[in-house]
């Protein structure tokens, strides 16, 4: 159920002076239900484009995206995306941002406040319900974004470097929050990052990508038990392996 | 103490200005040229006394204000929706924009002779088939309303378009991936996101309308309003009325702007606080 399959996916953008920019070529990917996949790669390898294609924000040029054996076209109800940039609506307060997602998915008005509080509690922000987004720190804003995405109740949660703009300590804290939520809700998560540590800490499986044009180079299963120790020998070994795959010099 | 000092700083230059004026008026000793401050004040503190056979200061102010409010309201009612439409639909933009570009350089004051010739002395109640309504609308000429409309049109229209086209794509995409329909995106994202720019348009438009009405009332053929009062007191060399009228124009302009600013922080305060 809700198996996500990408077959031979390609995407070309029309650049300036009718120059074509090939962002993705021949991408194959399968995500089983409840799987946590990290997608890692250098800037320009098309990882963000890949998420945007799955979310339906951009049309495909080649290949197919299948969800439950059905081809996906355009925005689909099964996915939602958490952006790297702080994307809360500044004219709404925190809880209204969350009820927005509930409203869009057709939850009855009388239920929205209660449900929104539930999702805010999940990310530990029930006390900030009445606050305005600009009154919150970046980490808190991203937590609200996650609560909003969860309130939409997608089967597949696409996350585009959601913790990219945060400091290391906040980032690690939110990684744990995310792992707890994922275990609780059994969502499929595709998590784009360029932080090797983050990828290994979170995922069941890591997809490694390379640019020019964007394509998948490696597919690594992470069989470490959770909670994971970032300083363990196995973790470090994986870290080094992926560093080498990404050709990062010592 | 610190607050008191800060407040007094704001009053320093206006008081100095009054002092220089008063000094100048006493030195010159020619009330037909520079009236003394207390003479001007005595006009201002009796707004309901009859002036040189043209009605009271309060009445003429009310006439000017009702002209502006009437014309400006029409501009808002027509231009905000038009701007929203032009901002969201490329077809609408291509359709209407050439006309906008063509008329934009035309100063609203350039329309005054045309409006006078075209609408004559027709007044607003006559539009509804009533000769005299015994309200202040009897003093609101259709031509004046037309000119005010032109004064408000472009600031409102252009700022609304700018507000709509400037909505961050991140917000639009966020709404889309949460399954919002076009209608929902318009009502819950585009409208609130464009509101700060729309409010700026209203403020600029109202400011221009207020300037334009004074100019229109100063022209021949006008029979009431604060601009008319200025011209008439000039002809009778009643400088204290002229200056008092100018003070009223300034004060009303200030109040109009502050009023819209208050509304603006209520409906789009998020923008000022976001940074």
């Amino acid at each position: 159920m809700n198996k996500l399959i990408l077959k031979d996916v390609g995407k070309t953008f029309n650049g300036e002076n009718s120059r074509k920019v090939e962002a993705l070529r021949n991408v194959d990917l399968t995500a089983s239900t409840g799987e946590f996949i990290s997608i890692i790669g250098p800037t320009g390898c098309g990882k963000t484009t890949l998420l945007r294609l799955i979310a339906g924000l951009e049309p495909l040029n080649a290949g197919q995206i299948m969800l439950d054996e059905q081809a996906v076209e355009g925005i689909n109800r099964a996915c939602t995306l958490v952006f790297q940039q702080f994307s809360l609506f500044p004219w709404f307060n925190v809880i209204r941002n969350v009820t927005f997602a509930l409203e869009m998915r057709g939850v009855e008005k009388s239920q929205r406040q209660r449900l929104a509080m539930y999702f805010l509690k999940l990310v530990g922000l029930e006390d900030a319900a009445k606050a305005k987004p600009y009154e919150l720190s970046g980490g808190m804003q991203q937590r609200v974004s996650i609560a909003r995405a969860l309130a939409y109740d997608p089967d597949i949660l696409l996350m585009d470097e959601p913790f990219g703009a945060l400091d290391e300590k906040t980032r690690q804290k939110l990684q744990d929050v995310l792992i707890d939520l994922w275990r609780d809700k059994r969502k499929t998560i595709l998590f784009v990052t360029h932080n090797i540590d983050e990828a290994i800490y979170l995922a069941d499986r890591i997809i490694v990508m390379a640019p020019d044009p964007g394509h998948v180079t490696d597919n690594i299963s992470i069989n470490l038990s959770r909670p994971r120790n970032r300083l363990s020998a196995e973790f470090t070994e994986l870290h080094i392996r992926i560093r080498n795959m990404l050709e990062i010099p010592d | 103490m610190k607050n008191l000092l800060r407040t007094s700083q704001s009053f320093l230059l206006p008081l100095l200005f009054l002092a220089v004026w008063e000094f100048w008026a006493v030195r010159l000793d020619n009330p037909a040229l520079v009236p003394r401050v207390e003479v001007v004040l005595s006009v201002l503190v009796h707004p309901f006394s009859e002036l040189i056979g043209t009605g009271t200061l309060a009445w003429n102010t009310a006439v000017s204000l009702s002209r502006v409010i009437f014309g400006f309201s029409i501009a808002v009612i027509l231009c905000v929706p038009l701007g929203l439409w032009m901002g969201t639909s490329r077809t609408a933009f291509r359709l209407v924009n050439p006309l906008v570009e063509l008329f934009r350089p035309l100063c609203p004051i350039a329309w005054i002779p045309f409006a006078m010739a075209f609408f004559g002395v027709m007044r607003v109640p006559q539009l509804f088939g009533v000769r005299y309504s015994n309200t202040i609308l009897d003093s609101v000429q259709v031509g004046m309303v037309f000119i005010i409309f032109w004064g408000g049109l472009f600031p409102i229209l252009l700022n609304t378009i700018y507000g709509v086209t400037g909505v961050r794509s991140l917000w639009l995409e966020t709404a889309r991936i949460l399954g919002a329909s076009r209608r929902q995106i318009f009502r819950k994202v585009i409208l609130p996101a464009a509101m700060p720019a729309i409010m700026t348009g209203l403020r600029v438009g109202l400011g221009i309308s207020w300037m334009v009405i004074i100019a229109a009332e100063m022209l021949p053929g006008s029979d009431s309003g604060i601009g008319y009062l200025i011209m008439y007191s000039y002809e009778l060399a009643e400088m204290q009325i002229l200056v008092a009228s100018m003070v009223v124009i300034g004060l009303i302009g200030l109040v109009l702007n502050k009023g819209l600013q208050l509304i603006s922080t209520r409906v789009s305060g998020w923008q000022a606080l976001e940074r």
Side-chain angles (χ1 to χ4, degrees):
Chain A
M1 224 191 82
N2 289 322
K3 197 169 174 175
L4 178 71
I5 301 170
L6 277 70
K7 266 190 214 153
D8 224 10
V9 165
K11 176 70 186 172
T12 304
F13 290 103
N14 291 319
E16 278 170 50
N17 311 326
S18 66
R19 209 161 45 89
K20 303 269 185 204
V21 181
E22 193 175 12
L24 289 172
R25 184 190 286 175
N26 302 340
V27 174
D28 291 307
L29 193 156
T30 304
S32 343
T33 308
E35 195 177 13
F36 199 132
I37 298 178
S38 285
I39 302 170
I40 197 166
T43 310
C45 71
K47 45 195 198 303
T48 293
T49 305
L50 190 63
L51 285 199
R52 291 175 61 86
L53 290 177
I54 299 170
L57 285 172
E58 310 267 359
L60 298 176
N61 294 128
Q64 240 184 350
I65 296 178
M66 310 272 288
L67 193 64
D68 293 333
E69 341 243 283
Q70 290 236 317
V72 169
E73 263 175 60
I75 306 285
N76 61 90
R77 178 62 191 83
C79 307
T80 196
L81 200 157
V82 177
F83 292 96
Q84 175 182 13
Q85 305 96 311
F86 304 142
S87 64
L88 297 179
F89 300 125
W91 48 90
F92 289 153
N93 64 14
V94 164
I95 192 158
R96 186 68 189 84
N97 266 281
V98 180
T99 55
F100 179 85
L102 295 167
E103 187 183 345
M104 294 306 120
R105 107 164 126 100
V107 173
E108 254 184 78
K109 201 166 186 173
S110 54
Q111 301 293 311
R112 288 182 205 153
Q113 289 292 317
R114 190 182 54 77
L115 265 172
M117 278 314 279
Y118 164 77
F119 284 107
L120 283 176
K121 229 173 246 162
L122 284 183
V123 296
L125 279 180
E126 65 269 34
D127 292 335
K130 291 273 182 285
K132 293 280 190 164
Y134 43 78
E135 295 167 341
L136 305 181
S137 67
M140 289 161 98
Q141 290 194 39
Q142 286 308 71
R143 277 198 268 172
V144 179
S145 294
I146 292 170
R148 181 173 65 181
L150 289 172
Y152 189 59
D153 196 26
D155 301 319
I156 300 167
L157 191 54
L158 308 166
M159 307 183 88
D160 186 8
E161 294 183 45
F163 308 146
L166 307 177
D167 68 89
E168 194 56 33
K169 201 174 164 191
T170 312
R171 180 194 273 257
Q172 291 197 7
K173 200 172 136 202
L174 290 198
Q175 287 167 2
D176 287 330
V177 170
L178 182 63
I179 286 292
D180 287 344
L181 289 174
W182 167 70
R183 294 183 122 175
D184 189 36
K185 302 278 169 203
R186 303 312 301 173
K187 306 279 182 205
T188 308
I189 298 184
L190 267 66
F191 189 102
V192 159
T193 178
H194 51 220
N195 184 314
I196 301 172
D197 222 57
E198 185 167 71
I200 303 171
Y201 188 76
L202 292 173
D204 296 323
R205 193 148 60 89
I206 298 180
I207 309 278
V208 183
M209 293 183 70
D212 300 319
H215 61 285
V216 175
T217 54
D218 288 282
N219 202 327
I220 309 152
S221 289
I222 312 289
N223 297 314
L224 303 176
S225 60
R226 292 185 176 94
R228 292 173 180 167
N229 181 349
R230 291 182 176 83
L231 300 176
S232 69
E234 300 97 316
F235 199 105
T236 313
E237 192 192 321
L238 273 165
H239 192 117
I240 294 167
R241 227 178 102 197
I242 295 170
R243 268 182 85 93
N244 291 336
M245 285 173 184
L246 294 170
E247 294 168 3
I248 300 171
D250 293 341
Chain B
M1 190 61 209
K2 210 170 178 178
N3 269 337
L4 199 72
L5 192 74
R6 284 205 184 132
T7 323
S8 57
Q9 277 173 345
S10 307
F11 282 104
L12 193 64
L13 279 181
L15 284 175
L16 191 69
F17 174 80
L18 283 182
V20 170
W21 179 282
E22 181 73 358
F23 175 75
W24 191 30
V26 174
R27 268 291 291 277
L28 213 59
D29 196 24
N30 184 355
L33 207 57
V34 184
R36 293 184 55 169
V37 172
E38 52 266 40
V39 183
V40 175
L41 273 178
S42 75
V43 178
L44 285 172
V45 296
H46 299 110
F48 298 107
S49 57
E50 187 69 24
L51 300 169
I52 51 177
T54 56
T56 65
L57 188 59
W59 164 256
N60 281 294
T61 308
V63 166
S64 295
L65 261 177
S66 43
R67 286 170 178 159
V68 165
I69 289 166
F70 208 82
F72 180 72
S73 303
I74 295 174
V76 174
I77 291 165
L78 291 179
C79 299
V80 171
L82 181 63
L84 292 172
W85 188 46
M86 286 174 73
T88 42
S89 154
R90 278 167 200 272
T91 315
F93 188 81
R94 278 193 296 263
L95 214 61
V96 187
N97 197 47
L99 210 59
V100 171
E101 291 298 324
L102 198 67
F103 279 116
R104 187 154 73 127
L106 255 176
C107 160
I109 295 171
W111 281 99
I112 295 176
F114 172 84
M116 286 201 304
F118 192 81
F119 295 105
V121 291
M122 192 198 228
R123 282 139 207 276
V124 168
Q126 285 169 270
L127 284 179
F128 305 100
V130 183
R131 192 148 183 86
Y132 291 108
S133 64
N134 289 319
T135 63
I136 203 159
L137 287 182
D138 290 343
S139 302
V140 179
Q141 291 89 340
V142 177
M144 297 260 189
V145 172
F146 177 80
I147 293 155
I148 300 302
F149 169 76
W150 275 97
L153 190 151
F154 291 108
I156 299 172
L157 185 66
L158 296 176
N159 275 287
T160 305
I161 296 173
Y162 167 79
V164 172
T165 52
V167 176
R168 283 189 211 165
S169 56
L170 180 66
W171 292 332
L172 297 175
E173 289 189 340
T174 300
R176 282 177 63 202
I177 49 143
L178 291 171
S181 65
R182 284 176 63 116
R183 201 185 137 86
Q184 285 167 323
I185 290 176
F186 180 80
R187 285 187 42 217
K188 315 240 169 202
V189 180
I190 294 177
L191 214 51
M195 201 46 92
I198 296 175
M199 289 309 297
T200 303
L202 297 195
R203 274 172 62 194
V204 176
L206 189 58
I208 292 181
S209 297
W210 185 238
M211 288 186 205
V212 168
I213 190 64
I214 304 299
E217 288 169 350
M218 287 169 78
L219 289 176
S222 171
D223 63 354
S224 57
I226 200 93
Y228 169 75
L229 196 58
I230 286 186
M231 251 359 236
Y232 194 61
S233 45
Y234 161 76
E235 279 161 23
L236 299 184
E238 297 275 357
M239 262 340 223
Q240 71 284 6
I241 300 176
L242 190 152
V243 175
S245 306
M246 286 172 69
V247 172
V248 169
I249 292 171
L251 290 177
I252 298 280
L254 196 79
V255 169
L256 290 179
N257 190 40
K258 283 284 169 203
L260 270 187
Q261 211 166 25
L262 275 177
I263 299 173
S264 175
T265 41
R266 287 203 74 143
V267 297
S268 59
W270 59 268
Q271 197 206 27
L273 297 163
E274 201 192 6
R275 291 164 227 299

